Amino acid sequence: MNFSFLPTYLPYFNYGAIITIVVSALVVFFGTILGVALAFAQRSKFRPLVWLANFYVWVFRGTPMVVQIMISFAMISINAPTFQLGVLGVDLSRLIPGIIILSMNSGAYVSETVRAGINAVPQGQIEAAYSLGIRPHNTMRYVIMPQAVKNILPALGNEFVTIIKDSSLLSTIGVMELWNGASTVATSTYIPLEPLLFAAFYYLIMTTVLTLALKAFENKMGQGEKS
């Protein structure tokens, strides 16, 4: 195994990992907002809105993410500057469309998570709230959502882990994240395997740390419910 490139090219991995984490955090943030909106749209009594939300989820869950990324990059033309992050040049005209389409994809999956979390709240509690004269929107706000959030948060954490891995697909449109940085190192050094293995190790470290943090958070929530 030849890792002689590391002393010189380690910044490509470090700054690529920073971009990957920032992109993933933004995607989860915007995807969660979109997912919540879609979940409520699917529960709406306005049938055309329900149909549109279901159609959106059907399309984004039923097509490959790499196809969505390529189509969005072809459709979304943005004149944005390139800024330097360490040794990497980050082209916003490529990064912004990538974040948009990953957020749209994430929103489709988060909507199903939110809908499942809401449906997991016992129907008896909803009926009890109605019998006490609590209006439907207040029931959703004060009775359903506080309980649904406990079911939703762990799944959102898992979505974060998934997005960290799936963000590597942005390399197909030239976004300089971790995987593209590793590919650049492999091309520059003529070492085809080891830079990619090192990038995979980086992904493994990031997802493992996040998974352990999520498990600690879930355990803390479980202890709070027992107490």
Side-chain angles (χ1 to χ4, degrees):
M1 303 296 283
N2 182 9
F3 289 96
S4 59
F5 59 88
L6 279 179
T8 303
Y9 289 96
L10 185 60
Y12 282 81
F13 298 93
N14 293 336
Y15 289 108
I18 292 173
I19 295 173
T20 293
I21 292 173
V22 171
V23 167
S24 301
L26 290 173
V27 168
V28 171
F29 175 76
F30 291 117
T32 299
I33 294 174
L34 178 59
V36 170
L38 286 170
F40 279 100
Q42 289 174 314
R43 295 173 58 87
S44 172
K45 295 181 181 180
F46 186 55
R47 299 309 301 173
L49 185 60
V50 175
W51 185 87
L52 285 174
N54 288 334
F55 179 78
Y56 179 98
V57 173
W58 173 64
V59 168
F60 277 90
R61 285 172 60 93
T63 55
M65 185 181 292
V66 67
V67 174
Q68 297 168 16
I69 291 171
M70 297 301 294
I71 292 175
S72 70
F73 183 64
M75 294 179 62
I76 303 174
S77 179
I78 298 176
N79 292 323
T82 298
F83 69 92
Q84 198 70 22
L85 180 64
V87 297
L88 299 182
V90 182
D91 186 356
L92 291 179
S93 63
R94 298 175 182 273
L95 183 62
I96 293 175
I99 291 175
I100 290 173
I101 194 62
L102 286 185
S103 299
M104 293 175 68
N105 179 280
S106 178
Y109 286 90
V110 171
S111 69
E112 295 297 296
T113 299
V114 173
R115 193 159 63 92
I118 293 174
N119 291 338
V121 177
Q123 185 65 28
Q125 295 192 27
I126 301 174
E127 294 173 354
Y130 290 160
S131 66
L132 292 173
I134 302 177
R135 295 178 180 273
H137 66 276
N138 285 331
T139 299
M140 177 62 70
R141 180 178 179 183
Y142 296 110
V143 178
I144 299 176
M145 287 308 297
Q147 299 180 70
V149 165
K150 294 181 180 180
N151 300 323
I152 295 169
L153 284 179
L156 288 181
N158 293 331
E159 178 68 7
F160 199 170
V161 173
T162 300
I163 292 299
I164 285 177
K165 295 181 291 184
D166 290 345
S167 65
S168 62
L169 295 174
L170 293 181
S171 62
T172 58
I173 58 174
V175 175
M176 287 301 297
E177 40 65 64
L178 176 56
W179 189 252
N180 203 354
S183 300
T184 301
V185 173
T187 302
S188 301
T189 60
Y190 301 101
I191 302 176
L193 178 61
E194 285 80 357
L196 304 184
L197 289 176
F198 192 73
F201 174 74
Y202 244 101
Y203 281 112
L204 185 61
I205 291 298
M206 289 190 291
T207 56
T208 299
V209 170
L210 184 56
T211 299
L212 292 175
L214 291 172
K215 287 183 178 179
F217 178 72
E218 290 178 24
N219 291 335
K220 187 174 181 180
M221 288 182 61
Q223 291 175 0
E225 291 178 359
K226 291 178 182 178
S227 61

